Amino acid sequence: MALSLPAIMKTTAARLSALYLLLFALCAVLLVLYMTSLSARMLTAQTQETINDEVLGLARAYQRGGLPVLVRVVEARSRQPGANLYLIADANGQILTGNVQSLEPGVIETEGWTTEPFSYRRFGEGELDRLRSGATDQPTPQAGDGNNPQSTGEKGHNAIALVLRLPNQMIMLVGRDLGEPERFRAVISRALTLALGMMGLGGILIWFFVGRAALKRIDSVSDASRRIMGGDLSGRLPVTGAGDEFDRLSENLNTMLARIAMLNEGLKQVSDNIAHDLKTPLTRLRNRAEATLAGRHKTEDYRQALEGTIAESDQLIKTFNAILMISRLEAGYSSEQTGPVDLAATVSDVVELYEPVAEEAGVALETTAPEALTINGNRELIGQALSNIVDNAIKYSTDAAETPKVRVALERVGNEIKLAVTDNGHGIPDDADRARATERFVRLEKSRSQPGSGLGLSLAKAIMTFHNGRLDLLPANPGLSVVMSFPLRETH
């Protein structure tokens, strides 16, 4: 997969990042525009309030001394630093006093607040340009003559003002420059542009680097998947240790692959073991049938041959049933239902079943179990596993030098319930042999004098796995202890 911008944009992370960035940018623009507009309205309201205060002061001066006092007050205030705009003109619009040299046409023609900001020029602005052009005569300024900022093409200032008509038809204008609100808008505009530019650049960099890293990890997962699909079941998906969703997904898939590899290996072992271990009984069946057919025999001989064939067939059927049960249990599927199981009662039933067998073999069969100990499980499967283990213990304890003895003990240890079957036979001294003893068709007895197919412990292990438990083979010194450990569960 090419690590290009179109490829990165196809990833879910990049698309979500782009959507979040767009939503954030839209909210940021709306918020800044709202704050700018609100601030401008507040400044305009404050400006109008200041102008109203100025007008009230000038009105009191006019009432106190008429036009002469008003002119003196306007002239005094016009000379103050940062003064507002003051203008007194006659009825024809000729400026008499104030600090305004020219206005846009039509500003003083309408009484009241100006509807829109207007351009103006104060006294002293543009004198240097006129001196350079050789103009020495300065005409009497008119409020709306050709010397206004728009007619000369010079850049003026913007302001709002309140225009009043005096009783003698003279015109008074009091205004305030809008440079501060405009500068505020310019600062906000530049800050917004810079912030959005940095945010856009940061978003692009995040898309590139984060998207590129995500694509690299996806590519590594794809490469590992191709190798696994090619037949390498030992391969695993990469885990970086970051603990993110990619690692969690890889860990779960690796667990699944390990399970598949184990089942595949078990299937291979079953195929090999069937080919080797079942070849002998099938060969015996054929030889017995061939020997019976060769020559003349009595009816009793044929009957004995058929009975032997049936016995061999029954043993083969049991073997295949055990293989099928192990495969179903190891695959995690079983039609058997689970429910509350009293392990103490199960132990009692199995011990009672095998007491005649043990007595006939000269083995002392003992049991130690509480009155009741209940778990969630399948009673038939647990009974089958325990029967296989007890049967093995009785068979292999008869070789002990002292009196053969098998002990079945059930107890609760912490959060587990342990069911141990211990004999005093020769046991399995080698750790490697104890690990191999639970595999299919494995028989550690070299002479093969004892009957069996080597599937008893393998089936018991599969049953314990089905119950989320474990099967441990431990040395008993002398003998062997097979421990079935069940997780303790609350029953309802």
Side-chain angles (χ1 to χ4, degrees):
M1 183 182 295
L3 298 179
S4 59
L5 183 59
I8 294 177
M9 287 304 300
K10 291 181 180 179
T11 61
T12 302
R15 291 176 179 174
L16 289 177
S17 300
L19 179 60
Y20 293 151
L21 178 63
L22 179 61
L23 292 176
F24 178 78
L26 180 60
C27 293
V29 170
L30 293 177
L31 179 62
V32 171
L33 292 178
Y34 171 75
M35 294 300 297
T36 303
S37 176
L38 180 62
S39 301
R41 289 197 300 269
M42 292 177 61
L43 290 174
T44 301
Q46 291 177 358
T47 301
Q48 292 179 346
E49 184 178 356
T50 302
I51 293 175
N52 284 327
D53 292 340
E54 290 286 332
V55 169
L56 290 176
L58 294 175
R60 286 193 294 269
Y62 183 78
Q63 292 173 358
R64 188 171 59 248
L67 184 61
V69 175
L70 177 62
V71 170
R72 287 197 301 270
V73 172
V74 169
E75 289 180 349
R77 294 187 178 185
S78 300
R79 298 189 186 96
Q80 294 177 358
N84 294 329
L85 302 182
Y86 299 98
L87 182 147
I88 297 179
D90 58 17
N92 298 322
Q94 183 177 356
I95 298 177
L96 302 178
T97 186
N99 55 4
V100 178
Q101 181 179 355
S102 61
L103 296 169
E104 283 185 13
V107 174
I108 61 176
E109 295 178 358
T110 303
E111 188 175 359
W113 288 101
T114 55
T115 57
E116 298 290 340
F118 60 88
S119 298
Y120 76 95
R121 188 168 59 217
R122 291 177 183 265
F123 277 107
E125 295 178 348
E127 292 183 358
L128 181 59
D129 294 335
R130 287 194 293 273
L131 291 175
R132 288 177 178 175
S133 63
T136 56
D137 295 333
Q138 297 184 10
T140 301
Q142 293 288 120
D145 64 6
N147 292 326
N148 65 73
Q150 289 185 346
S151 62
T152 60
E154 298 175 3
K155 182 179 179 181
H157 305 281
N158 292 326
I160 61 173
L162 179 61
V163 180
L164 299 173
R165 287 277 181 176
L166 300 178
N168 55 5
Q169 297 302 312
M170 297 185 71
I171 302 171
M172 182 178 68
L173 179 145
V174 180
R176 189 172 181 84
D177 190 275
L178 296 179
E180 183 177 352
E182 290 179 352
R183 286 192 295 272
F184 178 76
R185 289 192 189 96
V187 170
I188 294 297
S189 178
R190 287 194 297 270
L192 175 62
T193 303
L194 180 62
L196 291 180
M198 294 178 62
M199 187 167 55
L201 178 61
I204 292 174
L205 293 177
I206 290 174
W207 290 347
F208 179 76
F209 289 108
V210 175
R212 184 178 181 183
L215 286 178
K216 282 185 176 179
R217 296 189 65 178
I218 293 175
D219 286 343
S220 63
V221 171
S222 299
D223 293 339
S225 300
R226 281 193 293 269
R227 291 194 300 270
I228 294 171
M229 288 187 295
D232 183 14
L233 294 180
S234 62
R236 294 295 180 267
L237 301 181
V239 178
T240 62
D244 55 7
E245 62 275 10
F246 287 102
D247 276 358
R248 293 195 296 271
L249 178 61
S250 296
E251 289 171 356
N252 290 335
L253 291 177
N254 286 340
T255 303
M256 180 186 70
L257 290 171
R259 178 68 173 168
I260 293 174
M262 184 186 70
L263 294 176
N264 193 46
E265 182 64 24
L267 179 61
K268 181 181 177 181
Q269 290 180 0
V270 168
S271 301
D272 294 342
N273 292 332
I274 289 177
H276 289 84
D277 289 28
L278 297 186
K279 182 179 179 180
T280 300
L282 289 174
T283 302
R284 266 200 314 270
L285 283 176
R286 182 186 182 282
N287 293 338
R288 181 181 290 111
E290 184 178 9
T292 304
L293 292 175
R296 296 180 179 179
H297 298 281
K298 297 179 181 179
T299 303
E300 186 64 26
D301 296 333
Y302 289 111
R303 173 178 289 277
Q304 292 178 357
L306 289 176
E307 290 176 350
T309 301
I310 292 173
E312 290 281 356
S313 300
D314 289 340
Q315 186 62 37
L316 287 174
I317 292 173
K318 290 181 181 179
T319 300
F320 279 110
N321 287 337
I323 294 173
L324 180 61
M325 178 61 70
I326 292 172
S327 299
R328 292 173 60 189
L329 291 172
E330 288 185 347
Y333 169 78
S334 177
S335 59
E336 307 293 341
Q337 299 297 319
T338 60
V341 177
D342 186 357
L343 288 181
T346 303
V347 169
S348 176
D349 292 342
V350 172
V351 170
E352 183 180 357
L353 177 65
Y354 276 88
E355 278 180 348
V357 178
E359 183 178 356
E360 183 179 355
V363 177
L365 184 58
E366 302 176 356
T367 180
T368 302
E371 292 183 358
L373 201 54
T374 304
I375 65 167
N376 288 333
N378 183 277
R379 187 177 185 280
E380 288 73 19
L381 292 178
I382 295 174
Q384 179 66 51
L386 181 59
S387 298
N388 292 348
I389 296 172
V390 171
D391 184 69
N392 281 345
I394 292 175
K395 285 191 298 185
Y396 294 107
S397 64
T398 55
D399 297 334
E402 57 185 28
T403 303
K405 183 173 62 174
V406 174
R407 182 172 179 270
V408 181
L410 176 66
E411 61 179 342
R412 175 176 175 176
V413 180
N415 292 327
E416 291 183 328
I417 297 178
K418 294 185 178 296
L419 176 56
V421 179
T422 307
D423 63 69
N424 61 349
H426 294 299
I428 306 175
D430 192 359
D431 293 340
D433 288 341
R434 284 198 298 272
R436 289 179 53 245
T438 57
E439 296 178 2
R440 295 182 180 92
F441 296 103
V442 172
R443 300 183 64 185
L444 301 178
E445 183 195 13
K446 303 300 182 182
S447 62
R448 304 280 178 129
S449 59
Q450 295 287 354
S453 60
L455 292 173
L457 291 180
S458 181
L459 179 58
K461 180 181 178 182
I463 292 173
M464 292 306 300
T465 302
F466 176 76
H467 286 85
N468 296 319
R470 67 179 187 276
L471 184 70
D472 298 317
L473 275 63
L474 306 175
N477 299 320
L480 180 69
S481 179
V482 181
V483 182
M484 304 166 64
S485 300
F486 296 90
L488 185 63
R489 302 177 182 177
E490 298 293 336
T491 59
H492 301 280

